[in-house]
Amino acid sequence: SNPFEVKVNRQKFDILGRKTKNDVGLPGVSRSKAIKKRNQTLLKEYKEREKTNVFKDKRFGEYNTKITPEEKMIRRFALERQQNYGKKNIYNLNEDEELTHFGQSLAEIEKLNDIVDSDSDTEETGTLSAELTAAHFGGGGGLLRKKVSSEQQDEEEEKPKSRKELIEEMIAKSKQEKQERQTRRESALELTEKLDKDWKEIQTLIARKAPKSERKDKEAEKPKPDEYDMIVRELGFEMKAKPSERLKTEEELAKEEQARLQRLEADRLRRMRGIDEEADKKRPSHMSADDLADGFILDKDDRLLLSYKDGKANIENEEDEGEDEGEEEEEGEEEDNENEEESQEESASEDEEDGDAADNHSDLESDLESEEEVAGNKEEKKHKANENESQNVEKLDPKREAAKSELPYTFAVPESYESFKSLLAGRTIEQQLIILERIQKCNHPSLAVGNKAKLEKLFGFLLEYIGELATLDLPELRTIDKLVLPLYNLCQMFPEAASDRIRFILRDAAHDLEGAIEVKGRAAFPGLDMLIYLKIVSLLFPTSDFWHPVVTPAFMYMSQLLTKCRIATLQDVIKGLFICCLFLEYVSLSRRFVPELINFLLGVLHISLPKNKAQGYTVVHPFTPLGKNLELLLVCDKEDLKSWEKQNVPLSIVTRLKETSRTVINHTRLSCLALCFDLIKRCAALYESLPSFHEIMHPVRILLTQHVPVNEYPEKMQEWYHSALKELENKVKHYTPLICEKKKPVPLKQYTPKIVKVLEFGRKQASSKKEQERKQLIQRHKRELKGAIREIRKDNQYLARMQLSEIMERDAARKRKVKELLGSLATQEGEWKAMKRKKWKS
């Protein structure tokens, strides 16, 4: 009727023949219908949510006649077990099963709440009821009661007992029961003891020893234990696993190691000074027999000497802490002498008291004699003490020398390189390693704040020391090899400082190389120390990284050495081959291609050829096709060729090659050539996976097959040559031919018509009828789900409104009541004040 409550659902297009159901909507009417329906259904459920006025029989199968009683019981028991399956308390292990007896839980019966009984004799009061006493013991019915007449009995039954009488009666009965139990227990113990005694007497008569033959038969009849039983017994005697101690942190381990080294150092210093352990311990002072030991203390004698100075009391210790051990011994001897003097004086005084009582100045004479004797005894004892000291010094001299020659256990980090060098000077390599190890342990970064900076300096000192050892006339390569281990440990502790230090060395070396090239136009190979630094880089840092802050500059520096340093002497060839070995070590994992390596090996083969065969190929810098250094590795002496044996080229030969004979030089040349063949073989195995492997190694293969005079070399050299050539020729070519990408051919245009199925509007197209029905069901399910969600949301809103209305009603009622109370209080107060005013007026 109201036009404002009418909603018109317009359509985009009017279709002829289509019937529309919801052209006009009435939202107000539909909302009122929904509210009315919810008032009849949802509101009733909400108001009756806590009321139970209907009894429902939920027993399983109670009204089902098709199920037998046994099946009903089994099914009910299963349902009960299912309900109790989820444990409420994880610590209650017996919660899953509850056993019953006649409908009563056994767990409640086991509590014995109703029965109160105790066998202890200490309890004087009991809580036994009269019914329980009568049920168990009869209460002494006909024996303890006197026979009374029926009239008196009726009177007693009619007269109720007071509470005090009941308690006294109960106490008396409980005491009587305890007495009876005690007597029964004592009689049972006496009978048991008597039975045991009789059984022992009978057992002595029955016991007899079986003959040996029967014993052997029984032993033979005993079955041997099974393997399983034996294993079980062994497992029973095995040690059980015990929890291990907590792993200590790095700081705790460093502190323990520092404490251990400090303790050992103190022990060494004590032995070096000749102080004996037993002498350190304080000798017990002389105690007379009359000493009452009032000041007895377990650890030491703290009795003090009392003296007066300038009229004031001065208390000093008997022995100063700073005195040497020899003085302590002398003081001990003097104390012994004084005690002996006192004992002698006491004995003399006793003799005098026993003797004549006449005073003829005999006491003075005895005093003088005793003083002379004491002085003589002192001189003799001092002489003996000096002899003992000299003997002790002779005994301690070897110990002192051994302690002096022993290394200290604690070291401070040197502040400069000179102090570090003096610390290691004159020491063997084992001692140097021990010193470096103890420096690291005593100055661990976790022990003090400045130790980290000190150990970082130590890394630089050690690196400089290794370089100095390499630059000696006879380089100590074995010592350097041993010192790499502490260098590696320091690098692991401080990687940033170590990388900065080595980068600084590489930067200086590269700067010197570039300066020499700019000034002279050519450069020489670096010294042995720089080569060792390059070797140390491969040991301290990972060489397989694509880019590394230390390895990459070292890589570039080595490539510059192989391309820019001139080959003028045999020493240069040895250094270049050493760098080639380092290159192969650097790229062993990454397999990175190094063209400088291949070019240098080609040049080494070039300088080993005679001039008439050094043609028909090209070489690159620093090698030249012509020049005075062309036949640098050529050996023409046949005797040297025959006497040569394959051996490794020592790196220390670089410094002493000029002083050696011509035969040794020729042998070194042949060893360098053999090393070149070995490096070619290793390069072939390393780069065989490259697509351009054959093109890279083609110059080397031509030089080996066409120019190298193999027949003039020794047999072992020929073996190296053939193995390298075989490694190059056996590699299969891995070429993949270039092929145009396959594309799908473009079809020719045809004039046949293309038939397209016309889709019907409003229908879902599917491959089959079943698929179409399935899609319809899915669509219907989505629509119903949305409607259900919408209805649930509206129900929740309705319940929220109802709850809010209830809260508002309660609040309004509370406000009304409070208002009424306040009004009544105001009227009362007004009446009270009026009465008060009347009293004042009257």
Side-chain angles (χ1 to χ4, degrees):
S1 62
N2 190 356
F4 295 102
E5 294 182 357
V6 177
K7 182 181 179 184
V8 179
N9 298 324
R10 294 181 180 180
Q11 294 183 356
K12 290 184 179 181
F13 306 103
D14 294 333
I15 301 170
L16 295 174
R18 174 176 289 183
K19 294 180 181 180
T20 56
K21 298 180 181 179
N22 301 318
D23 294 339
V24 179
L26 300 174
V29 176
S30 61
R31 189 182 299 112
S32 63
K33 287 181 180 179
I35 291 172
K36 187 176 180 181
K37 187 177 180 180
R38 287 189 177 91
N39 287 334
Q40 294 175 358
T41 57
L42 190 61
L43 186 60
K44 285 185 177 180
E45 292 180 2
Y46 177 71
K47 289 181 177 180
E48 296 177 358
R49 64 187 182 277
E50 295 178 357
K51 296 179 181 179
T52 55
N53 52 5
V54 177
F55 295 96
K56 294 181 180 180
D57 192 357
K58 295 183 179 181
R59 291 178 294 178
F60 176 79
E62 184 64 25
Y63 303 103
N64 192 353
T65 58
K66 296 180 181 180
I67 303 174
T68 60
E70 291 79 5
E71 293 178 355
K72 288 181 184 179
M73 297 297 293
I74 292 169
R75 183 60 180 162
R76 288 176 182 176
F77 181 71
L79 290 173
E80 187 178 359
R81 293 289 296 273
Q82 287 179 3
Q83 290 176 358
N84 296 330
Y85 180 70
K87 290 185 178 180
K88 297 179 181 178
N89 189 0
I90 61 174
Y91 302 105
N92 190 359
L93 302 178
N94 296 324
E95 190 180 0
D96 53 350
E97 293 184 359
E98 186 177 0
L99 303 177
T100 59
H101 179 67
F102 289 106
Q104 190 177 2
S105 175
L106 290 179
E108 296 294 332
I109 295 174
E110 288 176 356
K111 291 181 181 179
L112 303 175
N113 292 330
D114 296 336
I115 300 172
V116 180
D117 195 3
S118 176
D119 293 337
S120 62
D121 297 333
T122 58
E123 295 182 0
E124 295 296 334
T125 60
T127 58
L128 298 176
S129 62
E131 292 83 2
L132 185 64
T133 307
H136 284 275
F137 307 101
L143 298 175
L144 301 175
R145 296 177 183 175
K146 297 180 179 179
K147 292 181 180 180
V148 294
S149 62
S150 59
E151 295 179 357
Q152 293 177 354
Q153 189 173 359
D154 293 338
E155 290 178 359
E156 289 179 358
E157 288 178 357
E158 291 176 358
K159 185 180 180 181
K161 295 182 180 180
S162 63
R163 185 172 180 277
K164 186 176 180 182
E165 292 176 355
L166 289 172
I167 291 172
E168 290 177 354
E169 184 179 356
M170 185 175 62
I171 291 170
K173 288 181 180 179
S174 62
K175 287 182 178 181
Q176 184 180 359
E177 290 165 6
K178 284 183 182 180
Q179 187 68 26
E180 291 177 357
R181 285 198 301 272
Q182 184 69 20
T183 52
R184 285 198 298 270
R185 192 182 298 112
E186 290 176 356
S187 62
L189 287 173
E190 290 177 358
L191 292 173
T192 305
E193 291 176 357
K194 185 178 180 183
L195 184 62
D196 292 341
K197 188 176 180 182
D198 295 342
W199 169 246
K200 288 179 181 178
E201 292 177 356
I202 297 169
Q203 194 175 13
T204 54
L205 300 174
I206 296 173
R208 73 179 187 86
K209 291 184 179 180
K212 293 183 179 180
S213 59
E214 293 181 4
R215 292 179 190 173
K216 291 180 180 179
D217 294 339
K218 288 183 180 179
E219 290 177 357
E221 289 176 0
K222 285 183 179 179
K224 294 183 179 179
D226 192 8
E227 293 182 359
Y228 176 77
D229 297 335
M230 294 173 66
I231 293 171
V232 170
R233 290 175 184 175
E234 290 176 359
L235 290 173
F237 288 105
E238 280 188 356
M239 293 292 291
K240 301 296 186 295
K242 295 181 179 179
S244 59
E245 295 182 357
R246 178 181 64 84
L247 292 177
K248 297 180 180 179
T249 61
E250 186 179 356
E251 296 180 358
E252 293 175 351
L253 293 174
K255 288 180 181 179
E256 289 183 359
E257 188 65 22
Q258 185 192 30
R260 186 182 70 85
L261 292 176
Q262 289 177 354
R263 188 169 61 253
L264 292 173
E265 176 64 13
D267 190 15
R268 187 189 70 84
L269 292 174
R270 181 185 53 75
R271 287 186 278 109
M272 186 178 69
R273 293 168 184 167
I275 302 172
D276 194 4
E277 287 184 358
E278 296 179 357
D280 287 342
K281 299 177 182 178
K282 189 175 181 181
R283 294 188 306 172
S285 58
H286 177 74
M287 304 288 286
S288 66
D290 297 334
D291 193 355
L292 298 176
D294 293 335
F296 177 71
I297 299 175
L298 288 175
D299 51 357
K300 61 180 181 178
D301 187 8
D302 291 332
R303 291 178 295 179
L304 305 178
L305 294 176
L306 182 63
S307 61
Y308 289 87
K309 184 177 181 181
D310 298 334
K312 296 181 180 179
N314 183 18
I315 300 174
E316 295 179 354
N317 294 329
E318 290 182 1
E319 295 177 0
D320 294 330
E321 294 179 356
E323 289 180 350
D324 295 332
E325 191 166 354
E327 295 176 359
E328 292 176 0
E329 291 178 355
E330 292 176 1
E331 288 179 2
E333 291 173 359
E334 289 175 2
E335 290 175 1
D336 294 340
N337 294 334
E338 290 174 1
N339 292 326
E340 289 177 3
E341 290 171 11
E342 291 174 0
S343 62
Q344 289 175 1
E345 289 174 1
E346 289 173 359
S347 62
S349 62
E350 290 174 357
D351 293 339
E352 288 172 0
E353 288 174 0
D354 293 336
D356 299 333
D359 187 7
N360 54 3
H361 303 285
S362 61
D363 53 349
L364 297 176
E365 293 175 0
S366 61
D367 289 342
L368 292 172
E369 290 175 359
S370 62
E371 287 178 1
E372 291 175 359
E373 290 176 0
V374 167
N377 291 332
K378 280 186 178 181
E379 290 178 357
E380 290 178 0
K381 289 190 176 182
K382 283 183 180 179
H383 182 65
K384 289 181 181 180
N386 292 331
E387 290 180 355
N388 292 333
E389 286 180 1
S390 61
Q391 291 177 1
N392 292 332
V393 168
E394 290 176 358
K395 291 179 182 178
L396 292 174
D397 276 338
K399 292 184 180 181
R400 288 183 181 179
E401 295 297 330
K404 287 180 181 179
S405 62
E406 191 177 353
L407 283 175
Y409 288 92
T410 57
F411 291 93
V413 181
E415 295 294 334
S416 62
Y417 175 70
E418 288 74 14
S419 59
F420 176 76
K421 186 178 175 182
S422 62
L423 184 64
L424 299 182
R427 306 282 188 182
T428 61
I429 179 58
E430 290 80 9
Q431 291 177 345
Q432 292 180 14
L433 292 175
I434 292 171
I435 290 171
L436 292 173
E437 182 183 1
R438 290 176 180 175
I439 288 175
Q440 294 180 33
K441 290 181 178 179
C442 293
N443 301 275
H444 196 270
S446 61
L447 299 176
V449 178
N451 287 348
K452 182 180 178 182
K454 293 179 181 179
L455 291 179
E456 288 177 356
K457 288 183 181 179
L458 181 66
F459 179 84
F461 296 158
L462 186 56
L463 204 63
E464 189 175 353
Y465 182 68
I466 289 173
E468 186 174 343
L469 291 178
T471 55
L472 297 175
D473 295 336
L474 294 175
E476 300 179 6
L477 297 181
R478 292 185 179 179
T479 305
I480 294 172
D481 186 27
K482 298 289 185 181
L483 291 176
V484 170
L485 181 59
L487 197 70
Y488 177 80
N489 293 333
L490 289 172
C491 181
Q492 294 298 315
M493 292 174 68
F494 316 107
E496 294 182 0
S499 60
D500 292 341
R501 184 67 181 177
I502 294 179
R503 271 189 297 176
F504 178 76
I505 293 173
L506 292 173
R507 195 184 303 116
D508 287 350
H511 182 70
D512 294 342
L513 181 66
E514 292 175 359
I517 293 172
E518 289 178 0
V519 174
K520 300 180 181 179
R522 56 187 174 82
F525 276 93
L528 192 58
D529 54 346
M530 196 63 210
L531 299 179
I532 289 175
Y533 286 150
L534 294 173
K535 174 66 178 176
I536 287 173
V537 167
S538 65
L539 298 175
L540 299 184
F541 302 101
T543 57
S544 61
D545 295 353
F546 182 76
W547 183 88
H548 193 272
V550 179
V551 178
T552 303
F555 207 93
M556 299 299 295
Y557 177 68
M558 288 193 296
S559 62
Q560 289 179 357
L561 292 178
L562 292 184
T563 54
K564 295 182 179 180
C565 293
R566 184 182 175 186
I567 305 298
T569 59
L570 184 58
Q571 290 91 330
D572 296 337
V573 177
I574 294 172
K575 292 177 181 179
L577 290 174
F578 179 75
I579 294 173
C580 291
C581 295
L582 288 180
F583 260 126
L584 287 175
E585 186 178 350
Y586 274 48
V587 299
S588 60
L589 294 176
S590 62
R591 295 179 177 272
R592 189 176 300 168
F593 176 61
V594 184
E596 295 85 0
L597 173 61
I598 306 299
N599 291 332
F600 191 84
L601 294 178
L602 183 65
V604 171
L605 292 177
H606 167 67
I607 62 176
S608 67
L609 300 178
K611 292 181 180 180
N612 56 358
K613 292 185 179 181
Q615 295 176 0
Y617 57 88
T618 57
V619 292
V620 296
H621 190 77
F623 299 95
T624 56
L626 297 174
K628 61 180 181 179
N629 298 325
L630 182 61
E631 298 179 349
L632 192 60
L633 294 182
L634 182 63
V635 179
C636 299
D637 194 349
K638 294 183 179 180
E639 293 181 359
D640 294 341
L641 290 171
K642 290 181 181 179
S643 61
W644 176 78
E645 292 182 358
K646 176 65 177 71
Q647 55 184 348
N648 296 328
V649 181
L651 194 60
S652 59
I653 201 172
V654 175
T655 58
R656 52 185 174 85
L657 192 61
K658 296 179 180 179
E659 303 175 359
T660 55
S661 62
R662 184 172 182 80
T663 303
V664 176
I665 293 174
N666 289 334
H667 288 175
T668 305
R669 289 171 178 168
L670 293 173
S671 299
C672 291
L673 188 58
L675 179 59
C676 181
F677 289 148
D678 185 28
L679 291 175
I680 291 171
K681 182 179 177 181
R682 291 168 62 185
C683 288
L686 186 65
Y687 297 132
E688 62 178 347
S689 60
L690 293 177
S692 58
F693 170 74
H694 292 278
E695 283 70 23
I696 292 170
M697 305 302 291
H698 181 67
V700 179
R701 191 186 302 109
I702 290 175
L703 205 62
L704 290 175
T705 54
Q706 298 179 8
H707 300 278
V708 175
V710 188
N711 299 326
E712 297 179 2
Y713 293 149
E715 293 181 359
K716 294 182 179 179
M717 183 70 73
Q718 291 179 12
E719 291 178 2
W720 286 95
Y721 166 81
H722 289 300
S723 63
L725 187 61
K726 185 178 179 182
E727 191 72 23
L728 291 176
E729 292 177 347
N730 288 343
K731 303 302 178 185
V732 182
K733 294 184 179 181
H734 299 284
Y735 293 140
T736 55
L738 296 175
I739 300 172
C740 294
E741 186 178 357
K742 292 182 179 181
K743 294 182 179 179
K744 192 175 182 180
V746 180
L748 297 173
K749 290 184 178 181
Q750 297 180 357
Y751 295 100
T752 56
K754 184 178 181 181
I755 300 170
V756 180
K757 186 179 179 181
V758 179
L759 300 176
E760 296 182 10
F761 181 77
R763 288 191 178 182
K764 301 290 184 182
Q765 300 297 324
S767 59
S768 63
K769 188 177 180 181
K770 289 184 178 180
E771 188 69 21
Q772 192 171 357
E773 290 177 356
R774 180 175 173 276
K775 288 185 178 180
Q776 288 177 359
L777 287 173
I778 291 172
Q779 191 69 20
R780 193 181 303 165
H781 174 264
K782 288 183 179 178
R783 187 166 58 250
E784 294 294 333
L785 181 63
K786 288 181 180 178
I789 292 171
R790 185 168 57 252
E791 290 297 323
I792 291 170
R793 191 180 294 116
K794 289 180 180 179
D795 291 346
N796 290 332
Q797 292 174 359
Y798 176 79
L799 290 175
R801 287 197 299 271
M802 292 296 105
Q803 291 174 359
L804 182 62
S805 64
E806 287 182 359
I807 293 170
M808 292 178 70
E809 287 177 2
R810 286 199 301 268
D811 291 346
R814 182 174 57 80
K815 288 181 181 178
R816 180 176 51 78
K817 290 179 181 179
V818 169
K819 195 172 182 180
E820 289 177 359
L821 288 172
L822 291 175
S824 64
L825 289 174
T827 55
Q828 287 180 8
E829 188 175 1
E831 292 175 358
W832 179 74
K833 286 183 178 179
M835 291 175 64
K836 195 173 183 180
R837 284 195 297 271
K838 287 180 181 180
K839 287 181 180 180
W840 280 105
K841 288 179 181 180
S842 62

